Amino acid sequence: MSQELTEKLQTQIQTALEEVIDPELGIDIVNLGLVYEVDLSEEGVCEVQMTLTTIGCPLADVIINDVKRALLKIDQIKEVKVELVWYPAWDPSRMSRYARIALGVKL
């Protein structure tokens, strides 16, 4: 895959993930700092390592399904695997400046 195509695909993936909104907080998962790693294989399998703000999040399935739905809209992605990871633990310092302002969080 060419460097130009790779960069375009990375932008598409980032944009798609920014469309996934945490239903409780109303902010996207990228700005919340929930996405830790994204890998895309040559076969079109996209693996996402992410976390949630709390381990017992009752909306985990909703968020995971939204991630899959958003990424599968990208032509080069044929399958999405989401792995929830708990290390490093999420904390508000992982949020973008935008998310901290929107939620009134001061660090």
Side-chain angles (χ1 to χ4, degrees):
M1 195 177 310
S2 73
Q3 180 69 22
E4 183 178 324
L5 182 57
T6 300
E7 289 175 8
K8 181 181 176 187
L9 199 48
Q10 288 173 339
T11 300
Q12 288 178 309
I13 289 170
Q14 177 85 7
T15 300
L17 290 174
E18 287 173 348
E19 294 174 4
V20 178
I21 305 297
D22 180 300
E24 291 181 311
L25 298 176
I27 304 289
D28 69 88
I29 63 173
V30 172
N31 277 295
L32 285 173
L34 299 179
V35 178
Y36 287 176
E37 188 174 330
V38 178
D39 291 312
L40 181 62
S41 73
E42 292 290 327
E43 295 78 30
V45 177
C46 187
E47 296 182 13
V48 178
Q49 284 189 353
M50 64 175 289
T51 194
L52 300 170
T53 56
T54 60
I55 290 177
C57 177
L59 297 170
D61 290 340
V62 171
I63 295 170
I64 290 169
N65 287 332
D66 288 350
V67 167
K68 290 179 179 181
R69 192 175 306 113
L71 292 174
L72 286 171
K73 291 178 183 176
I74 300 171
D75 291 337
Q76 292 86 347
I77 297 178
K78 307 300 177 212
E79 180 182 354
V80 177
K81 297 179 180 179
V82 177
E83 177 185 4
L84 291 179
V85 295
W86 306 106
Y87 183 82
W90 180 88
D91 67 65
S93 69
R94 297 190 63 87
M95 292 190 293
S96 70
R97 182 173 184 273
Y98 160 77
R100 288 194 305 267
I101 290 170
L103 296 173
V105 174
K106 297 185 184 205
L107 297 179

